[in-house]
Amino acid sequence: MRYSAKVMEHFQNTKNYGKIDNANGIGKVGNTKCGDVMWIYLKIEDEIISDAKFETFGCVAAIATSSMAVDMIKGIKISEALELSNKAVTEALDGLPKEKHHCSVLAEEGIQAAIKDYYSKTTK
Amino acid sequence: MRYSAKVMEHFQNTKNYGKIDNANGIGKVGNTKCGDVMWIYLKIEDEIISDAKFETFGCVAAIATSSMAVDMIKGIKISEALELSNKAVTEALDGLPKEKHHCSVLAEEGIQAAIKDYYSKTTK
Amino acid sequence: MNINNYFDYNATTPTDARVFEAMEDFYKEKFHNPSSFYREAGVVANEIENARENIAKLINCKPDEIFFTGSGTESDNLAIIGTVRKLKDKGNHIITSKIEHPAVLESCKYLEKNGFEVTYLTVDRDGLINLEDLKKAIKSSTLLISIMFANNEIGVIQPIKEIADIAKNNKILFHTDAVQAVGKLKIDVKDLGVDLLSLSSHKIYGVKGIGVLYKKKGLRIEPLIFGGGHENGLRAGTENVAGIIGTGKAAEIAMEEMETEELRIKPLREKIIKELFEKIPELILNSSATNCLYNTINISIKHIEGEAILALLDAHGMSFSSGSACSSKSLDPSHVLLAIGLEHAEAHGSLRISLGKYSTEEGVNKLIEVLPPVVERLRSMSPFWNKG
Amino acid sequence: MNINNYFDYNATTPTDARVFEAMEDFYKEKFHNPSSFYREAGVVANEIENARENIAKLINCKPDEIFFTGSGTESDNLAIIGTVRKLKDKGNHIITSKIEHPAVLESCKYLEKNGFEVTYLTVDRDGLINLEDLKKAIKSSTLLISIMFANNEIGVIQPIKEIADIAKNNKILFHTDAVQAVGKLKIDVKDLGVDLLSLSSHKIYGVKGIGVLYKKKGLRIEPLIFGGGHENGLRAGTENVAGIIGTGKAAEIAMEEMETEELRIKPLREKIIKELFEKIPELILNSSATNCLYNTINISIKHIEGEAILALLDAHGMSFSSGSACSSKSLDPSHVLLAIGLEHAEAHGSLRISLGKYSTEEGVNKLIEVLPPVVERLRSMSPFWNKG
Ligand SMILES: Cc1ncc(COP(=O)(O)O)c(C=O)c1O
Ligand SMILES: Cc1ncc(COP(=O)(O)O)c(C=O)c1O
């Protein structure tokens, strides 16, 4: 199998998916043309990400990276979440096939987009 | 096997080979470049071929056609022997592979050359 | 693995046990080089000719019109590249379709880089080419038409006889990639009037590594591989003897069993379509309802992606393929699904179900049971699915 | 057939029983297409990579420098045609030798018809090329040197490292057809410095229908067959999985057993030469006494013709080959034997004895017993033999 056991584990048993009804930061990245779309929902309280979920249209790697990324930012500070790199996500998944690299980039972008959305809403 | 049973039989059990010491007609045809040389020895008495032998450097088909041709002209009249065609030899051998056609032609030529040799000697 | 759960017969088929049995001795006692002189080699050479005859019977041609290659892909390449190179003084134009296999499309692209011109015909929602388009595409420089018999992804069957007629009327050669059609459909190259036809052993319960090219007698094309005069000078290299023998056996079996297999498989296909469409909302049927291989189903499952579907099915031990980009090596989803007019997202979310000799009711029931919850789970993760 | 009586290992070798065993499951349980998505396909893909690794070890390269093709012939074609087509803007000249296999010679002849220029180096009585001739043949337009490692007919081994050095010094690529050398000689492509090397599975107790091309990393050549991206884009077509697995196993076995086999076979070869020359007058040894494969003997038996010899030996159940025109399909005898300076008649009367894994003392004794009367009988029919 070309995916690591960790990837498959996150793909098959992911639980962080779905909407957050009162999310105050939502990031929408990717496009259907390339086959991967990620929506990241954040609930941020006192600069802390108290809840995070995702909705993903995409392949195994897209779903696993969304799941892992969301897992990694739950309960941490925004400033820390902004520093989460695609590399860190990939490593946490014990690696990704080369041609799936863009999925981890998408997860990073999704989180950044959601945080940006939060700031754009709260600073208004 | 690409040769008929008849060809193999004549190749393996040929007996008409060797020189005839007092041959009065000898035909030498073919060349080593192409890989087939036939020498036909005839002993002719009263226009009848009383004995015939061959020596052949060549492949299975060359040896079998020499053997068969010599067999077919033993004891017959010169005039009849002159009519022996390569086709008749080939048929008597139950056919030859296409690319071995030239061997039967060689046998016909060998006999004609030997008879010509006989005439050139006797008419001198 | 459980063969009941294999739904990817268009990707490859298992070697029939009788085919394996027929080959076995050619790895053991009968290992001789068929070009050699001795008796044992002659036996091997004869067996190759028997295999050739069996394949000739399957498509109704003469044995000396059958040439063995190393794959269906090689047969396609040889037919196309070999033909137009031979005829290059007479023209430079090729007509093919947008939904051909990469073996055809990439051959054409290579030729485009080398001075040839290629027209890629569009297809309709069913995947059918338009015969009027074909006629219009013909130029005085057209050397070859190459249109596949049946498509590997959506199963659409083209009007081969009509295409052959058009080719003949315009004195153009006609090649058909029949890799997916042979062994499933009754094919008579003489009746159809095709000049060149490709098939592949591993799609008809033979073996991987053997393709066949039918080349009409008298037609001269350029080889791709030069050397000893094997295959009547058309494809040099010591023959894959066991593979050829196995392919001959596979052809013989296909002749005998093709019709009863069709009768057995058709209802399984119908059942799958009926039940999936009942149980799963928002499906698109990509395989033609009227001109389709009886073993092939292609659906798009809206709002989710194909590789993810394959992965969850794989976790159930079930094997399928998809036209999603992720299951291939490119970034674009299936060129075939895009050509019949699907949106990118729909093409990414496709599932190909292809049935075959060892497909059973039991396997089909499992598919019908397993797929709906798989779809439901992935849709529940999808931003596009209205969980309303 | 009795394997003791097989003396034609250079024509083909039997599949090793362990190779067959390794392949068997890939016709049965593991039939999946390695390009497919599911687990079972991944297993097959991994096994292919294992096979690649075993072959890489045999010639000391990296696995990603190994490419599978459909025959040794195809590997030769791909190496030569693929290289010069890729480099055609930089030159058009190829250097090879007169004693190459038809796979190389016919590729070159094809290229000559398509704008390339080829120098065919002559060889000496042993079959060796002259390195000074090689240097002189190099032009600014030279793209490729292709010189075989060991000759299939006479077994002569060329100075590959020296040739590679000359190529490198002149910035020319170097391909070697090592079909007869691999599995017999220890080969280290890195140490030798070759850029491309061909081998064939059925010459190393593997299977017919699989060739291998070693292509040095970074070197770009044009494919011959286009389609799906198999073999890293160099050779499209669904992989002959079982054949590849078998070839990997054959390579593994060759690694282990090559040296002991050499020790076992060498004395058999020596015994044959010694005894035949003692028992049969007017023989010519065509295989080099100093630079020859340890399994190959080539003799000319003066005054008689090769096919006739083969036929009588065949009647004893013994299998050999000959350079006679009659045992091939052309009218000329072996181009190799003519190139080393034999007369036509001598070339027609040649016999190749090639030994291998299942050669035994018993078989050798039978050969020594059977050949002299066979020769005597044919000579007794020959006009050139002085029966005096
Ligand atoms: C329609 C079609 N053409 C060509 C091929 C290529 O055949 P092969 O896999 O033998 O190279 C395939 C199968 O992959 C196919 O489905
Ligand atoms: C030296 C040499 N090169 C190339 C080949 C061709 O290999 P294959 O038989 O696999 O096509 C052979 C064997 O026939 C050979 O002996």
Side-chain angles (χ1 to χ4, degrees), chain B residues 15-35:
Chain B
K15 285 186 189 76
N16 303 313
Y17 62 87
K19 290 185 179 31
I20 298 180
D21 285 337
N22 54 351
N24 50 9
I26 301 179
K28 299 184 176 184
V29 291
N31 67 65
T32 53
K33 206 153 180 219
C34 300

Side-chain angles (χ1 to χ4, degrees), chain C residues 10-11 70-74 76 100-104 148 150-153 177-180 198-203 208-211 352, chain D residues 33 230 236-239:
Chain C
N10 285 10
S71 63
T73 296
E74 187 183 336
D76 283 341
E100 300 295 313
H101 189 270
V104 169
M148 73 201 309
N151 183 273
N152 45 310
E153 294 188 38
D177 172 348
V179 166
Q180 291 294 344
S198 310
L199 68 94
S200 177
S201 178
H202 76 98
K203 309 282 189 183
K208 293 172 185 66
I210 290 283
R352 180 181 72 183
Chain D
N33 191 324
H230 310 87
T238 299
E239 298 88 342

Side-chain angles (χ1 to χ4, degrees), chain C residues 208-347:
Chain C
K208 293 172 185 66
I210 290 283
V212 171
L213 180 65
Y214 154 76
K215 180 176 74 61
K216 195 175 170 175
K217 204 157 181 158
L219 176 60
R220 295 186 58 194
I221 70 176
E222 201 175 280
L224 294 177
I225 301 171
F226 302 85
H230 310 86
E231 294 301 303
N232 213 0
L234 198 61
R235 200 249 185 188
T238 299
E239 298 88 342
N240 177 346
V241 174
I244 288 172
I245 301 303
T247 304
K249 187 70 189 175
E252 188 191 323
I253 295 171
M255 270 296 264
E256 283 167 20
E257 302 184 351
M258 202 158 52
E259 278 174 59
T260 53
E261 273 306 297
E262 174 166 359
L263 293 178
R264 199 180 68 75
I265 291 170
K266 246 182 183 159
L268 295 178
R269 176 177 185 271
E270 277 158 23
K271 177 171 180 175
I272 293 171
I273 295 178
K274 182 171 165 289
E275 301 235 0
L276 291 185
F277 274 77
E278 273 173 23
K279 294 199 169 157
I280 306 174
E282 299 204 36
L283 292 187
I284 307 171
L285 185 64
N286 299 321
S287 28
S288 165
T290 50
N291 292 291
C292 190
L293 291 174
Y294 60 78
N295 81 314
T296 306
I297 302 171
N298 192 305
I299 53 176
S300 282
I301 305 176
K302 292 184 82 163
H303 315 306
I304 60 179
E305 194 275 341
E307 193 206 74
I309 306 170
L310 296 191
L312 285 184
L313 288 170
D314 184 35
H316 284 93
M318 303 182 81
S319 305
F320 299 81
S321 85
S322 165
S324 92
C326 289
S327 74
S328 74
K329 274 156 199 162
S330 85
L331 272 182
D332 272 331
S334 155
H335 65 289
V336 176
L337 298 178
L338 295 180
I340 64 169
L342 291 197
E343 302 284 332
H344 270 76
E346 293 163 350

